[in-house]
Amino acid sequence: MRTLQSYLITDPYLYNSNFVSLLEKAIEKHTPNYICFRDKLSTFQELKKYAKTILEIGNYYKIPTLVNTHLDLLDMGFDGVHLNSSQLSLIDNFRYYITFASTHSEEEVKKASNSDYITFSPIYNSKGRKGLGIQELNRIATLHKGVFALGGIVSDREVNEIREKSCAKGFASIRYFFQN
């Protein structure tokens, strides 16, 4: 059976007194290859506090950590960046870091050609958006060597389908890691 890499993405709605415990439980159960700190809600001071916690946990478990969108936090010690689709023009600025880029179309995939990895989404129906499906994921995998499926991956059913029917390098998710 083919091994997929996995990419845990954090969710600011989980940042409460149980967050460290939830994150450690998810890591111990699923052993992700990467952790992405994603937060579009918190103040800058809160971001720094949460980033510090995620960096400490990543270091403890020896898992590379990436920061999503908030590039000004990179110098706190993150191993890389996850650029949103409006930041794709910045990829070459981070060639000494691990780079992920969010993509949702062939045009964005082409703009992200110099990134190490891309997330392509949504593969499955997710939050009111229609999934693009495994066939489209496979087509995109011919355009970029490091495609991670994203969107609507909530259980082993989706992970197994990606493993068995796609050419993706891996998958990324929030809900899969924190609901299972």
Side-chain angles (χ1 to χ4, degrees):
M1 181 168 23
R2 181 168 80 97
T3 301
L4 285 179
Q5 290 192 16
S6 62
Y7 184 35
L8 180 154
I9 301 171
T10 65
D11 183 344
Y13 291 108
L14 298 174
Y15 301 159
N16 57 41
S17 60
N18 296 329
F19 176 66
V20 170
S21 173
L22 286 171
L23 183 56
E24 289 177 336
K25 182 179 172 187
I27 290 169
E28 290 169 6
K29 181 174 182 180
H30 298 289
T31 59
N33 299 91
Y34 301 95
I35 299 171
C36 178
F37 173 51
R38 181 179 182 268
D39 184 340
K40 297 180 180 181
L41 302 175
S42 299
T43 67
F44 188 70
Q45 288 301 56
E46 290 170 329
L47 287 170
K48 286 173 46 177
K49 179 179 84 171
Y50 300 138
K52 183 176 183 281
T53 299
I54 288 166
L55 286 165
E56 288 171 354
I57 291 171
N59 286 335
Y60 177 81
Y61 287 97
K62 296 179 177 37
I63 301 172
T65 54
L66 295 95
V67 62
N68 180 295
T69 308
H70 299 285
L71 305 178
D72 47 348
L73 298 177
L74 182 62
D75 64 356
M76 288 183 69
F78 285 95
D79 300 294
V81 296
H82 186 133
L83 303 172
N84 66 41
S85 55
S86 68
Q87 296 173 315
L88 297 179
S89 64
L90 303 175
I91 289 170
D92 290 336
N93 296 343
F94 301 100
R95 62 181 168 263
Y96 300 112
Y97 295 94
I98 300 167
T99 54
F100 272 79
S102 292
T103 65
H104 310 88
S105 68
E106 182 175 334
E107 179 184 343
E108 289 178 350
V109 171
K110 289 177 180 176
K111 288 180 183 176
S113 63
N114 289 340
S115 65
D116 297 311
Y117 307 102
I118 61 170
T119 57
F120 184 71
S121 69
I123 301 307
Y124 299 96
N125 294 340
S126 178
K127 300 178 184 172
R129 295 178 306 213
K130 182 168 173 35
L132 299 169
I134 295 292
Q135 186 174 351
E136 181 66 0
L137 176 63
N138 283 335
R139 188 180 75 76
I140 293 299
T142 66
L143 304 175
H144 197 289
K145 65 190 177 320
V147 178
F148 278 63
L150 175 65
I153 301 166
V154 298
S155 71
D156 287 334
R157 184 186 72 75
E158 293 87 10
V159 172
N160 289 334
E161 184 174 36
I162 293 164
R163 179 183 297 112
E164 294 166 8
K165 297 181 180 177
S166 87
C167 302
K169 185 169 192 73
F171 73 95
S173 183
I174 296 171
R175 292 180 290 165
Y176 175 81
F177 292 101
F178 291 105
Q179 290 181 1
N180 286 311

